[in-house]
Amino acid sequence: QVQLAESGGGLVQPGGSLRLSCAASGRIYSVNDMGWYRQAPGKGRELVAHISSGSTTNYADSVKGRFTISRDNTKNTVYLQMNNLRPEDTAVYYCFESQSIHTYWGQGTQITVSS
């Protein structure tokens, strides 16, 4: 199996920045697609950002220009740089890694944007 360890969440004021990390370990035989979903209370899960094995990126319209996803394949780690945070970004953020037949999920990390 694969384990995904997330870090970097917390409380931040509007306009502030945070950087999330997601480190994968375990049965990893190749470079895989990775990214983050988020879920706010009472709302559905939303794809925030995705980075392919070839480092092609995709973002939700709501975060384009503010968030940047990147990866370090030597560390099996992806990063989500979150700038100009808004209250509506408040959610639990879940890292994922997609292999050929399985998708693995991190434990989730809480992001709260509030004054």
Side-chain angles (χ1 to χ4, degrees):
Q1 63 177 1
V2 172
Q3 297 82 43
L4 301 177
E6 297 187 57
S7 63
L11 175 65
V12 65
Q13 293 184 340
S17 297
L18 289 172
R19 190 192 194 203
L20 302 183
S21 298
C22 178
S25 62
R27 295 173 62 87
I28 304 170
Y29 305 117
S30 62
V31 178
N32 300 303
D33 288 20
M34 298 182 71
W36 274 269
Y37 281 82
R38 68 185 180 188
Q39 189 163 25
K43 298 182 179 180
R45 182 167 289 182
E46 175 189 25
L47 178 63
V48 178
H50 160 261
I51 185 165
S52 75
S53 59
S55 296
T56 299
T57 59
N58 179 61
Y59 300 93
D61 287 342
S62 59
V63 308
K64 286 181 179 177
R66 299 188 296 120
F67 291 9
T68 302
I69 189 169
S70 61
R71 67 190 306 157
D72 183 345
N73 291 335
T74 66
K75 300 178 180 179
N76 290 322
T77 300
V78 292
Y79 307 94
L80 186 65
Q81 180 65 47
M82 309 165 66
N83 297 327
N84 193 23
L85 284 160
R86 305 167 178 171
E88 56 262 40
D89 295 318
T90 296
V92 178
Y93 285 67
Y94 296 93
C95 176
F96 70 88
E97 176 175 337
S98 293
Q99 296 189 348
S100 59
I101 61 172
H102 295 294
T103 298
Y104 299 92
W105 297 92
Q107 79 278 8
T109 185
Q110 177 71 49
I111 303 296
T112 302
V113 184
S114 176
S115 297

